[in-house]
Amino acid sequence: MVRIIGMLVGLFFSGWMLVTFVLGATEFVTNPPAETAEHKFHLKPKKVAFPSDGPLGKFDNQQLQRGFQVYKEVCAACHSLRLVAFRNLQDIGYNEDEVKAIAASWVIETPSVDPATGEASSRPSLPADKFPKPFANDIAAAAANNNAIPPDLSLITKARKGGAPYIYSLLTGYQDTPEDLPEANQPGPGLHYNPYFPNLNLAMASPLASEDMVSYSDGTQASIDQMAKDVSAFLVWSAEPKLVERHQTGWAVIAFLLIATILAYLSFRTIWADVKAEKKKKGAEG
Amino acid sequence: MSFPWAKEYKPATEFGQWMDEKLPLPRFIYNSLGAGYPAPRNLNYMWNFGSLAGIFLVVQIVTGIILAMHYAANANIAFDSVEHIMRDVNSGWMFRYAHANGASFFFIAIYLHIGRGLYYGSYKAPREMIWLLGVVIYLLAMATAFMGYVLPWGQMSFWGAKVITGLFEAIPLVGKPIQELLLGGFAPDNAALNRFFSLHYLLPFVMAGVIILHIWSLHIPGSNNPTGVDVKGPQDTVPFHPYYTAKDGWTLGLALIFFSIMLFFLPNFLGHAENYIPANPLSTPANIVPEWYFWPWYAILRAFTVDFLFIPAKLLGVLAMFSAILVWFFLPWLDRSPVRSGDYRPRFKKFFWFGLIPCILVLGYCGGAHAEEPFVMMSQIATAYYFAHFLIILPLLSRIEKPEPLPNSITEAVTGKPLEQAS
Amino acid sequence: MATVETADSATLDDEAGGVRRRDFINIAAVSFAGAGAVATVFPLVNQMNPSADVLALASIEVDISAIETGQAIKTSWRKQPIFIRNLTEAEITEANSVSLTELRDPESLADRTTPGKENWLITLGVCTHLGCVPLGAAQGEVKGEYDGYFCPCHGSHYDTAARIRKGPAPTNLEVPEHEFLSDTVVKIG
């Protein structure tokens, strides 16, 4: 009985699947889907190396500090970094007093409550505070930015396919609209063509428009490429501040496990030695 | 247990004796996982994945309890509380990545364990109950994993919850009320997040309970083995401890090395970038896909694109997806071949390696890809084969196939020497 | 049967010859794995310690310029109440007039304040008995029999230097580590 019902169910599902396939295949052959402009013009992120890449990757604090400078002077006007606290900057080589000064002098203040009146107000940030957001909420952010909300950057290198190389490519990838771009994909008003962006047009204008937009305190030449690389590296850190700790723990754990596994394997071999020997002996006799 | 030659537990100390009289827990463990359980001597490495899955369940429970100490199941702060774990809690990043990747390793182990059962006929009499309980464990694991993925409240969490509960909407008449009941609202929000958290915490312990039943029922007939031939006598078995504990032990080390590589060097490889964006009910990610371990089922769901008479395609897809798993419940009665092991079934072997395995791989690949051609067509062919394999090929095969001669005993298969009747 | 018993009998046979290689390797493998398991316990427990964001709030800076003589404010430090009291001359005199030998927990007012800032009494607002918040910091609250603080839970009386004078509390109200950054700003913690 089970088999008869099963057979009927199987015939139904398999049969209908085959019918569906034939219908779909006919449609596919007679009316193949047109190639979309996204397929044709979209580019994969450029190959770019960061010191944090790979299992031995470490952060370069000099670079992170330069990247932070780019974030502070270029990105922070529109993009929040809401999951990172000022105190975290100590991890990239600033000392306690520098962090205090950065927090206190941050252009946007931390929202608070006026202790006398109870009204909403703001105060200078302390190291324990997270980076204050440039806009009070999404509506304010959209209103100030042509209806596009600048995404928070704390996790951006983990939240975008392609990670840091994608951010780097996007920042350095603005170009003139190609001539053969279909009408439907032309950047509308307030949009900018960038082949690294999934749908080719994004609301953000090229943020790193000219060289030396920031003047690096360590004397590094602030080329567009350098700034893009540095800020991408900084955003790797902001998304994964424990990366170095993770890599180091990983090596220690794997080294331990390798030894443990070898010991366990030897132990396994000695325990099974009798059974294997018996098998060989009997096999030889047989 | 059921083998008369099984070693008997003898408490070595006076305390052990006292304990054995009051609460014979050591005896119980000795008989189920210790030297008191005679296991076939010829088990190959495919028999290591059951205990491995059990160990990864323990890893999940331990890391999960820790995460629950820091996580907040509230739609407003759930995402930030996960980031709090990642950034501020001592070693929090390690527990979170271990939990996320541990789920994958649990499923890797469980899939290999299921695949071994399918190939070596471990579902056949007298082990039907072990198989049925195993399918229950798998269903519980799927529910647990799905609800766990919702908890970080990222984009994929939210839309996954929406899409999967949306499946119930396909049920005629009662679909919409059922979906609202599951979510406690019209879209995933606080109510859904809280109940998912509650159940996500509960179900692993239910699973642990069913696993105990699974092992209990295993100990009645004893383990199957690669020949599928019954154990005939003591010469066919070795005590589980130390033989199989040592074997499981060193392969556990190997598994933990792979696990550590993922955890420490590729922690987000199996995840989705979109889940690092906080849930946004107003914007759908470009490609909603579940975690990889659901891809084959997801492909079956999406393969149905054409209505059948009055049954809408959406309902068909849902029915097919559930049937694809439920069919396993009937497997012991669909495949009536008296020969268990695929090694001695020449045709079954071909269908298994050149039919079922590629079919599952294709379904898995298509389930993770964009819902566009040629992936939809590929998944349609694979789905057709999937149902045909279990519901048509296996029942017919058990009638027409001529199995190869079986060895007389496990020992004979191992040593190539006929069993001496003297023993 | 042979297979079943080999392991045990082999060990027995060789006991006289000392620890054999196979025993050694088994012991080594098990103890190595055991050591790993023990090492794993550390992070499992350590995760319960205060996290980085909690530790970051471990010190606060309080502006005390608005506290008039004779007044006190309640503020919060590490999620615990802090009393900052600007003592009057009379209160200081009263505190200094007590002989230390009379006290359950002998400490002078000078021990409990910063030199030159003896009028600023900064204590935790946590009764040392069972952790209730004593009354007396806010205006109009009962100050107890010794004009300092009074804990209503079990009737502990503290004097003007927040020392325990009567009731079940074993010690004086705790003075947290603090430092005057300027005349008007004190850093606690």
Side-chain angles (χ1 to χ4, degrees):
Chain A
M1 198 61 196
V2 170
R3 264 154 291 157
I4 294 168
I5 295 171
M7 199 105 46
L8 290 174
V9 171
L11 281 173
F12 170 70
F13 279 132
S14 300
W16 192 242
M17 236 9 349
L18 291 175
V19 171
T20 311
F21 168 73
V22 170
L23 290 174
T26 323
E27 171 75 15
F28 187 71
V29 172
T30 55
N31 192 7
E35 197 191 19
T36 60
E38 278 92 342
H39 264 148
K40 196 171 158 204
F41 291 93
H42 183 256
L43 296 178
K44 288 224 154 69
K46 301 176 191 173
K47 294 251 181 301
V48 53
F50 292 96
S52 55
D53 291 347
L56 290 167
K58 279 197 172 99
F59 290 126
D60 170 1
N61 279 355
Q62 278 298 317
Q63 185 183 35
L64 296 189
Q65 294 192 5
R66 290 197 302 269
F68 170 63
Q69 204 181 336
V70 176
Y71 168 73
K72 181 182 164 185
E73 292 173 25
V74 182
C75 320
C78 303
H79 290 280
S80 55
L81 196 67
R82 64 181 191 93
L83 297 167
V84 182
F86 287 103
R87 65 184 157 83
N88 296 135
L89 293 176
Q90 277 184 261
D91 297 351
I92 65 171
Y94 291 103
N95 66 34
E96 211 178 326
D97 292 333
E98 286 168 334
V99 169
K100 228 172 176 176
I102 292 169
S105 65
W106 198 254
V107 178
I108 301 140
E109 296 197 321
T110 294
S112 76
V113 173
D114 188 309
T117 63
E119 280 170 15
S121 116
S122 68
R123 58 166 173 80
S125 300
L126 296 168
D129 292 320
K130 303 263 168 83
F131 280 85
K133 296 195 249 181
F135 301 104
N137 51 51
D138 281 356
I139 300 171
N145 289 286
N146 215 353
N147 268 333
I149 303 170
D152 181 78
L153 294 185
S154 336
L155 283 167
I156 203 76
T157 53
K158 273 155 80 179
R160 293 291 181 276
K161 237 181 174 170
Y166 165 76
I167 302 297
Y168 166 81
S169 308
L170 197 74
L171 291 174
T172 56
Y174 286 86
Q175 8 182 296
D176 294 334
T177 315
E179 305 216 329
D180 51 342
L181 192 70
E183 192 61 38
N185 296 86
Q186 293 282 349
L191 293 178
H192 309 271
Y193 181 77
N194 189 324
Y196 297 96
F197 193 66
N199 69 9
L200 306 177
N201 299 302
L202 78 165
M204 175 172 72
S206 178
L208 301 173
S210 62
E211 288 195 12
D212 298 316
M213 281 181 79
V214 299
S215 55
Y216 283 137
S217 50
D218 66 355
T220 307
Q221 176 65 36
S223 65
I224 292 178
D225 186 76
Q226 186 68 40
M227 290 188 291
K229 216 179 262 179
D230 291 345
V231 78
S232 305
F234 171 72
L235 293 173
V236 172
W237 170 79
S238 74
E240 186 82 1
K242 306 287 180 174
L243 178 137
V244 177
E245 188 186 335
R246 193 182 80 212
H247 287 171
Q248 287 168 347
T249 316
W251 284 111
V253 169
I254 289 173
F256 171 85
L257 283 173
L258 272 175
I259 301 172
T261 305
I262 290 168
L263 280 175
Y265 178 71
L266 293 175
S267 166
F268 157 72
R269 288 297 299 262
T270 54
I271 285 168
W272 278 80
D274 305 326
V275 180
K276 301 265 181 207
E278 187 194 8
K279 172 181 161 184
K280 246 184 214 153
K281 195 179 75 197
K282 283 200 180 165
E285 281 170 19
Chain B
M1 279 196 170
S2 45
F3 299 115
W5 63 89
K7 279 215 249 180
E8 214 207 321
Y9 175 67
K10 289 190 202 79
T13 60
E14 214 163 296
F15 172 74
Q17 198 134 26
W18 182 85
M19 190 73 186
D20 196 40
E21 282 163 20
K22 318 295 174 205
L23 180 71
L25 187 64
R27 175 183 294 273
F28 180 74
I29 292 168
Y30 183 89
N31 286 339
S32 33
L33 301 167
Y37 176 48
R41 56 185 284 186
N42 62 334
L43 301 185
N44 61 29
Y45 279 105
M46 287 309 291
W47 263 260
N48 287 31
F49 294 102
S51 66
L52 190 65
I55 283 166
F56 273 107
L57 180 67
V58 173
V59 170
Q60 290 305 87
I61 288 179
V62 170
T63 53
I65 288 172
I66 285 169
L67 292 176
M69 291 182 190
H70 304 280
Y71 170 77
N74 178 305
N76 291 323
I77 53 171
F79 186 90
D80 289 8
S81 76
V82 172
E83 279 304 313
H84 163 69
I85 293 170
M86 293 294 288
R87 289 159 192 270
D88 289 332
V89 172
N90 302 317
S91 309
W93 58 269
M94 188 163 73
F95 296 116
R96 199 243 162 167
Y97 280 150
H99 199 69
N101 286 291
S104 285
F105 275 75
F106 175 80
F107 275 99
I108 292 172
I110 218 172
Y111 279 134
L112 291 168
H113 189 60
I114 293 171
R116 187 266 290 160
L118 285 174
Y119 180 76
Y120 289 110
S122 300
Y123 49 85
K124 291 183 186 179
R127 297 185 180 81
E128 303 97 315
M129 184 51 81
I130 312 171
W131 173 261
L132 297 181
L133 290 167
V135 180
V136 171
I137 294 167
Y138 177 62
L139 289 173
L140 286 169
M142 292 214 294
T144 309
F146 160 67
M147 288 189 283
Y149 198 66
V150 176
L151 302 184
W153 210 242
Q155 272 289 64
M156 214 51 111
S157 301
F158 180 90
W159 291 98
K162 188 145 186 169
V163 167
I164 299 300
T165 54
L167 298 180
F168 292 90
E169 205 195 334
I171 304 168
L173 301 175
V174 293
K176 194 83 185 156
I178 287 182
Q179 189 195 4
E180 285 169 12
L181 176 82
L182 290 172
L183 289 175
F186 309 103
D189 200 1
N190 248 333
L193 181 59
N194 265 293
R195 68 191 56 177
F196 282 8
F197 180 49
S198 169
L199 293 173
H200 181 71
Y201 206 124
L202 169 72
L203 288 186
F205 296 98
V206 177
M207 265 163 77
V210 183
I211 287 169
I212 289 173
L213 301 182
H214 186 66
I215 297 174
W216 184 8
S217 66
L218 167 72
H219 282 73
I220 293 165
S223 298
N224 185 25
N225 68 81
T227 66
V229 175
D230 285 327
V231 165
K232 299 263 165 57
Q235 71 284 353
D236 287 345
T237 66
V238 289
F240 190 82
H241 177 76
Y243 289 92
Y244 286 110
T245 43
K247 194 173 176 184
D248 287 349
W250 92 264
T251 52
L252 170 67
L254 215 53
L256 288 178
I257 290 173
F258 288 119
F259 180 54
S260 301
I261 291 172
M262 294 304 291
L263 195 175
F264 293 107
F265 301 123
L266 298 162
N268 293 307
F269 179 75
L270 295 168
H272 304 291
E274 283 87 348
N275 227 26
Y276 281 107
I277 305 171
N280 180 355
L282 303 180
S283 150
T284 311
N287 183 23
I288 302 180
V289 281
E291 291 284 81
W292 66 268
Y293 34 83
F294 293 142
W295 285 352
W297 312 127
Y298 196 56
I300 293 179
L301 174 76
R302 293 197 301 191
F304 285 82
T305 52
V306 180
D307 298 351
F308 179 79
L309 303 177
F310 54 89
I311 310 174
K314 180 180 174 185
L315 178 59
L316 268 182
V318 173
L319 287 176
M321 184 178 72
F322 285 112
S323 307
I325 304 164
L326 295 182
V327 83
W328 290 357
F329 278 116
F330 300 96
L331 187 57
W333 298 277
L334 291 169
D335 177 7
R336 299 300 286 177
S337 169
V339 176
R340 291 195 192 101
S341 170
D343 280 352
Y344 302 96
R345 298 181 61 189
R347 283 169 191 246
F348 169 87
K349 205 192 297 189
K350 288 203 182 79
F351 280 109
F352 184 87
W353 289 116
F354 303 112
L356 187 63
I357 296 296
C359 153
I360 299 277
L361 294 179
V362 167
L363 283 175
Y365 184 78
C366 295
H370 278 271
E372 56 191 27
E373 300 300 358
F375 303 120
V376 177
M377 290 194 293
M378 280 159 66
S379 57
Q380 283 162 348
I381 293 287
T383 305
Y385 180 81
Y386 181 91
F387 284 106
H389 181 90
F390 284 106
L391 294 168
I392 301 170
I393 295 172
L394 283 188
L396 292 180
L397 209 57
S398 47
R399 282 170 187 258
I400 57 176
E401 185 177 51
K402 188 174 175 295
E404 285 166 8
L406 290 174
N408 287 316
S409 77
I410 291 172
T411 306
E412 185 191 298
V414 172
T415 62
K417 192 184 167 202
L419 183 66
E420 290 162 37
Q421 288 306 311
S423 61
Chain C
M1 265 313 291
T3 321
V4 181
E5 308 214 328
T6 11
D8 288 359
S9 51
T11 324
L12 284 175
D13 292 343
D14 285 275
E15 221 158 72
V19 181
R20 288 178 44 197
R21 185 181 152 267
R22 59 178 292 171
D23 295 323
F24 170 75
I25 200 80
N26 292 344
I27 292 164
V30 170
S31 24
F32 205 75
V38 171
T40 315
V41 171
F42 174 74
L44 293 181
V45 175
N46 188 42
Q47 52 87 17
M48 290 203 273
N49 271 319
S51 56
D53 55 331
V54 173
L55 293 175
L57 296 172
S59 73
I60 54 163
E61 286 171 20
V62 186
D63 180 1
I64 52 171
S65 55
I67 309 172
E68 309 267 338
T69 308
Q71 283 192 337
I73 60 158
K74 257 192 223 183
T75 180
S76 149
W77 172 66
R78 294 180 175 174
K79 300 277 163 183
Q80 300 185 93
I82 288 278
F83 295 160
I84 302 177
R85 180 178 284 272
N86 190 349
L87 298 173
T88 60
E89 281 303 321
E91 286 170 330
I92 294 173
T93 320
E94 193 184 329
N96 288 335
S97 64
V98 184
S99 144
L100 289 188
T101 50
E102 280 176 42
L103 295 172
R104 186 178 301 169
D105 181 12
E107 269 182 318
S108 69
L109 180 64
D111 292 340
R112 295 167 62 73
T113 50
T114 309
K117 305 260 181 206
E118 276 89 359
N119 59 323
W120 290 108
L121 178 67
I122 299 171
T123 60
L124 282 187
V126 180
C127 180
T128 55
H129 178 221
L130 290 171
C132 293
V133 179
L135 300 174
Q139 239 157 14
E141 281 181 358
V142 194
K143 289 186 165 189
E145 291 174 22
Y146 294 87
D147 301 326
Y149 299 106
F150 168 66
C151 180
C153 291
H154 305 95
S156 292
H157 298 258
Y158 296 89
D159 68 9
T160 53
R163 293 173 296 198
I164 182 64
R165 298 294 288 274
K166 188 180 169 190
T171 56
N172 304 333
L173 288 187
E174 190 188 335
V175 176
E177 203 179 299
H178 63 273
E179 181 192 352
F180 285 86
L181 299 179
S182 69
D183 277 350
T184 55
V185 178
V186 62
K187 180 186 171 197
I188 300 173

